[in-house]
Amino acid sequence: MAFPVEDQKELRALLEEIVALMSTDPKTALAEGRWVKLICGASYQDLPRVQALCLAYTLAGVDCIDLSASKAVVTAAEEGVNVAMAVAKQTLGKPLPRRPWLMAIPPLEKLTALASGVKEGVAHQDRCYGCGRCLTVCPLGLITAHPYHVEAADVLSSLAGRVDALEIHTNVSSLSAFEGQDPFDDLCRRIQESVSTLRAISVSFPYMGEAGTTAFLQSRSELFDRYFGRDGEREGKEDEGGSGEGDLRRSKLLHIWQTDGRPMSGDIGKGTTLSAVKFGEIVLRSRALPWASPRQGGEQQHFLQLAGGTNAYTAEKLAAEGLLSPASLLGSREEGGRDTQWVHGLAFGGFARMEVDRVMAEWGLGSESSLLEAPPQAIVAVVKAAFGVVRPVKERIK
């Protein structure tokens, strides 16, 4: 991807500013309270847009990108990230300090999907995600479709080595263990052997009242320890007949808890961030879990990330409420108080997508357009828009 001299100068200056704000790795960003995640989402399967979003936000310095646990979507994301890394190396003369983690969202229960098959065998099955649109546009009627069941463990196994984390979406029904049916427990059991290559597991959860939210966090944390945490560490150490590496790796999994304040509303307006901030404040105040602090981020495994209503005003509001770690604490052994805790990061979905879509539309890049084929000036403009989303969380500590 070649850039004219003037565009390359502008992009270089922008990337230098972005790199200066990047943490050395995503885990450090969590510990510092500077984690930013792009939410593509479990149901967002517009491949050209996924590719464009991943390209733009990788260059903008996000730490993680969540997306559908679909081979086709993951492939599109990888393409976007790879191009971003190549552009950065071409522009800066060196690669970005690190790649963002890719976080897959597997189905909580078995999922029925639609698969397409072409009689002549010319379909790209690894790029099919079951939307069914090809059925009506094939002029010769060569495409047939059939439903099939997707098992979460099989999905993760098929993506081994390609994703760094997974996210489990939950709701109030996930507390039904007392009735003998707990989809969350069942999913953890089914994927237990498929997480050895992962670095983190995230759980997204809605507000259930203060007592209900506390009970949810504590009960889910106990399941984490059973399947991925302390038990795994103990088994790895005691397994003298083998290396125990898989169990030890599971014990190092970061546990990210994602509040879903006001779902899918960040692109509506300023006020939606109030629900996200209030939810985060309630969770921290509950002391349901031992949340990691900037000083102890490398030792503790529980991190709180806000979503659902996050937008351009969220970081500002969190700072006003004292819920963002101040710059003076980073690299310091001092804390504002033994019990003081902060939000570790923010996730942006609709708002982040809207900002990129807005600029692409200004450049006449429609829903099927690829950012790879866009004019250099358009790419610079899109990266600026993406950085506008990331910057308030990263820059505030400087």
Side-chain angles (χ1 to χ4, degrees):
M1 186 177 291
F3 286 81
V5 175
E6 288 304 314
D7 293 322
Q8 191 168 37
K9 286 182 179 179
E10 185 177 7
L11 182 60
R12 181 186 298 114
L14 178 60
L15 291 181
E16 287 174 348
E17 183 179 4
I18 292 169
V19 169
L21 295 176
M22 291 176 69
S23 303
T24 55
D25 57 74
K27 181 179 179 180
T28 299
L30 278 169
E32 293 176 342
R34 296 202 296 160
W35 163 277
V36 180
K37 185 179 80 169
L38 166 67
I39 300 175
C40 281
S43 60
Y44 194 76
Q45 300 190 337
D46 185 333
L47 300 186
R49 270 301 189 260
V50 168
Q51 184 190 74
L53 287 166
C54 291
L55 193 166
Y57 279 97
T58 296
L59 289 175
V62 295
D63 302 288
C64 184
I65 302 168
D66 85 15
L67 64 169
S68 168
S70 156
K71 286 185 179 181
V73 175
V74 172
T75 296
E78 290 172 331
E79 291 170 350
V81 172
N82 290 338
V83 170
M85 298 300 288
V87 168
K89 186 173 183 178
Q90 172 188 328
T91 305
L92 298 173
K94 59 183 179 181
L96 294 176
R98 82 294 183 278
R99 300 167 66 93
W101 287 351
L102 295 184
M103 178 181 286
I105 307 173
L108 187 60
E109 300 178 276
K110 286 187 177 180
L111 174 70
T112 298
L114 185 69
S116 62
V118 179
K119 296 175 183 177
E120 302 300 325
V122 296
H124 295 285
Q125 289 293 339
D126 61 331
R127 302 189 69 87
C128 173
Y129 55 91
C131 70
R133 285 180 288 184
C134 61
L135 297 176
T136 58
V137 299
C138 179
L140 300 180
L142 296 177
I143 303 174
T144 57
H146 62 277
Y148 66 97
H149 287 287
V150 178
E151 167 59 50
D154 294 337
V155 170
L156 289 179
S157 295
S158 70
L159 297 175
R162 300 180 65 187
V163 297
D164 306 281
L166 69 85
E167 181 163 290
I168 303 172
H169 284 186
T170 65
N171 49 45
V172 178
S173 66
S174 297
L175 282 173
S176 60
F178 298 107
E179 302 174 2
Q181 296 179 346
D182 189 341
F184 186 97
D185 188 319
D186 183 55
L187 176 63
C188 289
R189 176 185 56 78
R190 286 185 281 125
I191 67 175
Q192 183 179 14
E193 300 305 320
S194 303
V195 302
S196 61
T197 61
L198 301 181
R199 304 185 185 189
I201 296 182
S202 174
V203 175
S204 176
F205 60 98
Y207 182 61
M208 309 172 201
E210 292 193 34
T213 299
T214 298
F216 175 86
L217 290 171
Q218 292 175 341
S219 64
R220 303 305 91 171
S221 179
E222 290 174 0
L223 287 176
F224 264 13
D225 287 340
R226 182 191 310 167
Y227 291 109
F228 314 118
R230 298 190 187 102
D231 288 342
E233 183 175 18
R234 182 166 58 252
E235 289 168 10
K237 290 179 179 178
E238 294 176 354
D239 182 14
E240 298 179 357
S243 66
E245 291 179 359
D247 292 320
L248 286 171
R249 193 177 294 115
R250 284 199 296 271
S251 74
K252 298 179 186 296
L253 280 173
L254 303 181
H255 299 165
I256 302 171
W257 303 88
Q258 176 177 285
T259 59
D260 198 3
R262 184 174 173 182
M264 296 179 287
S265 65
D267 55 346
I268 294 177
K270 182 176 180 178
T272 63
T273 201
L274 298 178
S275 296
V277 172
K278 184 62 177 177
F279 193 179
E281 182 182 13
I282 290 172
V283 171
L284 288 175
R285 188 176 65 224
S286 73
R287 307 188 188 284
L289 296 173
W291 302 109
S293 70
R295 180 171 63 84
Q296 299 173 311
E299 303 169 6
Q300 295 173 304
Q301 301 295 302
H302 295 286
F303 299 89
L304 180 64
Q305 172 205 274
L306 307 190
T310 49
N311 53 36
Y313 308 98
T314 308
E316 176 185 341
K317 181 64 176 174
L318 285 170
E321 298 295 328
L323 297 177
L324 289 183
S325 55
S328 59
L329 294 181
L330 295 181
S332 170
R333 302 299 292 180
E334 301 294 328
E335 292 192 46
R338 181 180 297 274
D339 297 328
T340 304
Q341 294 176 326
W342 300 273
V343 168
H344 299 96
L346 300 179
F348 298 97
F351 171 64
R353 297 191 296 268
M354 178 185 71
E355 289 297 284
V356 166
D357 287 348
R358 172 179 57 79
V359 176
M360 290 186 69
E362 291 173 358
W363 283 88
L365 301 171
S367 60
E368 298 298 323
S369 299
S370 170
L371 198 56
L372 305 184
E373 301 170 357
Q377 303 96 317
I379 295 175
V380 174
V382 168
V383 175
K384 280 184 177 179
F387 187 42
V389 176
V390 175
R391 185 174 187 167
V393 186
K394 299 289 187 180
E395 188 181 39
R396 62 175 173 74
I397 66 150
K398 292 293 183 182

